[in-house]
Amino acid sequence: MLAGCGGGGDGGEAAAAPPGGGATQTTVATTSPTVTKDLFTSAGAASLAYVTGFDEAAASAVRGSTEFEAQKRNVKIGGSTYSSFSFADIRAEYALSTGLTGAGQTIAIVDDGFRVSHAELDGKVLKSFGNPGVESHGTAVAALAAGKRDGSGMMGVAPGANLHLSTFMDGFSALAAATRDAEAVGAVVQNNSWGYKIPVTDIQASLAANPGWSVEQALQNSLGGSATEIRSYLDALGSFTRRGVVVFAAANDKAATSSTVMDGLPVVAPELGAGWLVAISAIAKFDNGRIVSADRMSAGCLQMAHTCLAANGVVYSATAASDTAYGLWNGTSFAAPQIAAGVALLAEAFPGLPANDIRRRLLATADNGFFTPTAWSDFGNGVVHGYNAEFGHGFMDLRAALLPIGATGLPATNSAYGGVTPLGSTYVSGGEAQGDAVVRALAGETIAVFDSLGAGFRAPALAIYGTSARSTFAPRLRSFAAGNTGRPAAASLSYAGENGTGGWSLHAGESGSVLEQLGLSAATTPLVTGAGNLAGLAHDALSFGMSRDMGGGSSFSFYAFSGMRPESPDWPEGLAPGLSRLHPEEDVSVTSGGGFAWSRPLGAATVTFGASFLSEPEGMLGMRSVGPGQSAKGLSGALDLGLAVPLAATGARIAFSAQVGTGDGSGDGLLRGTQGAVFSAFGVSLQKESAFRDGDQIRLFARQPLRLESGNALLRVPEGRTVGGEVVWRDLSVDLAPSARQIDLGFEYATPVGRQSRFKIGAAYAHNDGHVRDSSGVSLMGAFQRTF
């Protein structure tokens, strides 16, 4: 009853009966190969995957190589001719084209015997356990799994993998010892292309008829041997499946109605199920790169459909006749090692990923588009995959298994299995004052992102950077048109005390205008972007201030401002390769602050000293962390200086303002905090009334918008995961000083046109726009006003 090809395994070398007998004869067709070259659509630029995208030329080169193309055959089986290309059916060329070979992984092969001196195995890292003989079947299976890629003969699906070789011929005790030894050397998968021609339903019947029997007693009743040895083997399999994957070949009886006792073992020993895969054999038919149908060549998946994969068991592989002997083989025995090799390839691609996760990836990505599922496996986090009793989950698809499954993004919890938040909804943004500092810090760095099954992928750290692409031009143009010489309108109301002294003045309006009236902002203009001071970080802020006349030309003022919607700048195109441009939802948090100022005359001039602060409930000097579970808050303070000097020319004056300050913040999520942030801003303007004609106004200005001079931000980014699924994080420091200093130069000119109209024009040039080196911006605005 014991056979060398899964479940009583039919199949064997062409023109020779296989071990166990009952072979389906496989012969080379007399016609020349006419299989159409398979064309696969590109996987695209999957920047968050193990690979950044599959190179179709590289995949095609692998598919057309001599050793790979050795599997392309026209074969005659049972009177029918089939066009077969086994390795292409599982998209093995895509995995191999990325450089994956299974290197560093060990595949355990349990079979009849092996010719270890064969050219496909000679020189490989392999360990023989016990005393397996020299047999063709085992030699072919081992070569299919890991045969060398050396330009001659054939190759394995995982040609760089190591091998652990043992035999099934010495009984259950030896099988148990071999399985434990394979686990001890770190084998990630064990391939079993052998079995018994006994339906697993017979074991179920024995257990039902004998309620007191253990599983090993029921197996002993059907298989013989010792119940103790069988229990030892089951325990060894149980231990292996907690750390690795066991692959068993199904039977080759196309008419079978039950899985056999070995491939169906989890039916009666369910503790094995989490690490179990069953292999059936089928030949795929393609149309434009898609599998559209398949000819099943073996038993179906039957009771094991939920953990079953298909591969093409019609192969060209090594034999034991000599060290350079090859032949054609057919059967599930030769589908199974392809799937085992697939496990090894994914183990190399995803270091540290538990073997059961690899098994689940293969099931969840199998190509099932050629049949109608009758049941579905729920792998969690929205990943559902259909299967049926004939083809299980479908053909193993190594191309799909290497790419992210389901949603991909940052971990939503500290567990890789806890779901993800898409990168488009979780990100860090740099503020105006930081310029390109955050971009430069992230450039060249990588982070870990995860898919819905908890696998980690390398991604550019710039994937967590985002800015709002919202344009500010329209509101700035409206402000330019409405203001007096470019200043947004502000209302003022004064109350004088006795003898015209000691009164109060109230100022209300847009914060930039109010601060200009208080002598703290010399170059407020809508022609340019970038905050001119702390208050400018509260975008669209409104302000009110009160000033008290202290006599002798001195005054004391205090003010407050508040903005309901922080807004990031429009960074110039080409700021950095791969820069994310995101569109976050409207922010309803309140950014607010205030300050005081003391003004006094200094000769003909007026000098103003002040102090101000800014409170940001969701940011740190404009830098923000956005998304579920993200929070940041900052508090900043500054010293202010203003100077206004009337010039000799009538109606002319020059004004100067400067601000220097520091700020700190803390947060949870990607942005953990800022330390030692020092910032500065300054502006100067020259204004002349009736410069060219009565009633006109001209103003020249220069300014540096708010800029971080020094300081650091601390980001906490995902680095990977442990075997148990705990996310590993690392700290990433960001130097907040941008690459350059923005300097704005410009003018505004307004003149009356008749008695009821006014014309206005302005222009500005931004050097190192956005505090980004070698970036520039130009703004031109014009407005015509008529009063009715």
Side-chain angles (χ1 to χ4, degrees):
M1 293 185 295
L2 185 66
C5 277
D10 302 335
E13 187 175 353
T24 299
Q25 185 68 27
T26 304
T27 59
V28 180
T30 56
T31 57
S32 60
T34 58
V35 181
T36 302
K37 184 178 181 181
D38 300 325
L39 300 175
F40 296 88
T41 58
S42 172
S47 61
L48 307 179
Y50 164 72
V51 287
T52 58
F54 291 112
D55 184 335
E56 288 295 320
S60 180
V62 173
R63 193 163 54 244
S65 64
T66 302
E67 290 174 283
F68 194 96
E69 205 168 42
Q71 306 303 332
K72 181 187 287 189
R73 302 278 170 168
N74 274 8
V75 294
K76 186 176 292 184
I77 302 174
S80 298
T81 299
Y82 299 90
S83 295
S84 173
F85 198 175
S86 57
F87 284 8
D89 285 2
I90 59 172
R91 277 80 168 194
E93 68 271 36
Y94 285 91
L96 295 170
S97 72
T98 69
L100 291 173
T101 65
Q105 309 303 316
T106 298
I107 302 172
I109 305 289
V110 180
D111 218 284
D112 53 1
F114 313 91
R115 188 179 184 104
V116 295
S117 61
H118 195 283
E120 297 297 334
L121 306 178
D122 184 40
K124 291 187 65 68
V125 177
L126 56 83
K127 177 182 179 182
S128 293
F129 180 83
N131 296 294
V134 177
E135 300 288 348
S136 284
H137 186 275
T139 302
V141 169
L144 278 170
K148 293 191 300 185
R149 187 179 182 185
D150 57 6
S152 63
M154 48 81 66
M155 61 184 286
V157 173
N162 306 327
L163 291 171
H164 178 281
L165 307 176
S166 62
T167 181
F168 61 77
M169 304 290 285
D170 296 334
F172 287 112
S173 180
L175 281 168
T179 300
R180 294 192 183 279
D181 190 69
E183 181 183 351
V185 301
V188 69
V189 62
Q190 183 195 68
N191 185 83
N192 295 269
S193 293
W194 61 276
Y196 294 85
K197 293 182 177 180
I198 297 173
V200 71
T201 50
D202 287 5
I203 311 302
Q204 291 178 294
S206 293
L207 289 169
N210 301 277
W213 277 13
S214 63
V215 172
E216 56 266 31
Q217 286 175 306
L219 290 170
Q220 179 190 27
N221 183 62
S222 294
L223 306 180
S226 162
T228 300
E229 291 181 348
I230 293 174
R231 170 43 57 189
S232 176
Y233 178 50
L234 292 176
D235 289 344
L237 287 175
S239 179
F240 192 97
T241 53
R242 285 192 290 272
R243 298 172 180 84
V245 177
V246 170
V247 178
F248 255 96
N252 283 301
D253 179 5
K254 295 175 68 173
T257 58
S258 171
S259 299
T260 65
V261 63
M262 294 312 299
D263 64 281
L265 202 52
V267 172
V268 293
E271 68 274 11
L272 304 179
W276 204 266
L277 284 174
V278 172
I280 68 164
S281 177
I283 300 174
K285 293 181 180 178
F286 285 86
D287 182 17
N288 196 29
R290 295 174 54 251
I291 298 178
V292 294
S293 65
D295 292 309
R296 178 166 55 85
M297 311 303 293
S298 69
C301 292
L302 305 169
Q303 295 100 313
M304 301 304 295
H306 62 285
T307 189
C308 183
L309 292 170
N312 185 343
V314 178
V315 298
Y316 178 77
S317 192
T319 77
S322 73
D323 288 346
T324 57
Y326 298 89
L328 286 177
W329 299 83
N330 171 36
T332 57
S333 283
F334 314 106
Q338 297 178 56
I339 293 171
V343 173
L345 290 175
L346 263 65
E348 179 190 2
F350 301 101
L353 194 67
N356 183 45
D357 282 21
I358 291 173
R359 166 188 164 273
R360 295 168 71 237
R361 292 190 74 79
L362 290 174
L363 293 171
T365 58
D367 191 334
N368 64 352
F370 62 96
F371 64 84
T372 301
T374 57
W376 287 262
S377 290
D378 186 348
F379 295 101
N381 290 326
V383 179
V384 178
H385 197 266
Y387 63 91
N388 70 12
E390 182 175 11
F391 293 104
H393 281 273
F395 275 89
M396 180 174 73
D397 186 343
L398 292 174
R399 176 181 60 182
L402 287 171
L403 297 175
I405 299 172
T408 306
L410 298 173
T413 68
N414 280 328
S415 170
Y417 304 114
V420 299
T421 60
L423 292 173
S425 63
T426 304
Y427 62 93
V428 170
S429 67
E432 300 173 32
Q434 291 86 3
D436 60 353
V438 181
V439 171
R440 291 188 300 115
L442 295 179
E445 296 280 348
T446 62
I447 61 171
V449 295
F450 298 90
D451 69 5
S452 293
L453 292 191
F457 298 84
R458 303 311 302 172
L462 278 171
I464 65 169
Y465 181 78
T467 67
S468 169
R470 194 164 38 231
S471 174
T472 64
F473 182 78
R476 288 192 292 117
L477 180 60
R478 287 193 297 269
S479 180
F480 176 84
N484 180 26
T485 64
R487 296 193 299 268
S492 296
L493 177 65
S494 298
Y495 165 74
E498 293 182 7
N499 302 319
T501 62
W504 289 87
S505 297
L506 172 66
H507 310 279
E510 190 271 336
S511 61
S513 178
V514 170
L515 291 179
E516 187 170 8
Q517 292 183 352
L518 297 179
L520 297 175
S521 182
T524 298
T525 174
L527 282 168
V528 291
T529 60
N533 45 40
L534 274 182
L537 293 179
H539 285 258
D540 301 331
L542 297 177
S543 176
F544 75 90
M546 295 191 70
S547 300
R548 178 170 176 78
D549 183 359
M550 306 297 291
S554 297
S555 65
F556 178 80
S557 307
F558 63 88
Y559 60 92
F561 57 86
S562 178
M564 293 296 292
R565 181 172 52 82
E567 183 178 23
S568 299
D570 286 331
W571 297 114
E573 291 287 351
L575 177 64
L579 178 62
S580 299
R581 287 189 168 268
L582 306 175
H583 301 268
E585 295 179 358
E586 294 296 315
D587 194 333
V588 295
S589 66
V590 177
T591 301
S592 58
F596 67 89
W598 176 55
S599 298
R600 58 162 297 168
L602 185 64
T606 301
V607 62
T608 302
F609 302 95
S612 55
F613 76 94
L614 175 71
S615 174
E616 299 170 275
E618 293 191 4
M620 305 175 192
L621 287 169
M623 189 174 180
R624 303 174 61 209
S625 183
V626 179
Q630 307 292 306
S631 67
K633 58 182 179 180
L635 181 64
S636 306
L639 297 176
D640 301 280
L641 174 65
L643 180 66
V645 182
L647 301 180
T650 303
R653 73 183 185 102
I654 187 169
F656 172 83
S657 64
Q659 185 178 76
V660 61
T662 184
D664 284 305
S666 61
D668 290 319
L670 294 174
L671 179 58
R672 310 299 287 183
T674 57
Q675 293 181 338
V678 175
F679 57 87
S680 69
F682 66 81
V684 60
S685 66
L686 173 63
Q687 182 169 312
K688 178 72 170 67
E689 308 285 338
S690 300
F692 304 109
R693 54 183 299 188
D694 285 343
D696 71 354
Q697 299 168 325
I698 187 170
R699 185 168 72 147
L700 308 176
F701 65 85
R703 69 166 202 154
Q704 176 215 285
L706 199 72
R707 177 186 187 270
L708 266 295
E709 304 295 340
S710 63
N712 291 278
L714 185 65
L715 304 183
R716 187 168 181 255
V717 298
E719 177 66 12
R721 52 160 287 174
T722 65
V723 173
E726 183 179 356
V727 177
V728 177
W729 302 82
R730 72 179 172 103
D731 291 335
L732 179 62
S733 181
V734 174
D735 182 355
L736 291 175
S739 62
R741 186 181 305 277
Q742 178 177 337
I743 299 295
D744 300 324
L745 303 172
F747 78 91
E748 298 170 356
Y749 177 72
T751 184
V753 180
R755 300 179 59 183
Q756 294 178 295
S757 300
R758 188 175 184 83
F759 174 72
K760 211 171 133 181
I761 189 171
Y765 169 73
H767 176 62
N768 294 324
D769 193 21
H771 300 305
V772 178
R773 187 175 303 281
D774 298 327
S775 178
S776 61
V778 176
S779 178
L780 299 173
M781 292 186 181
F784 179 79
Q785 298 173 320
R786 182 169 178 81
T787 303
F788 297 93

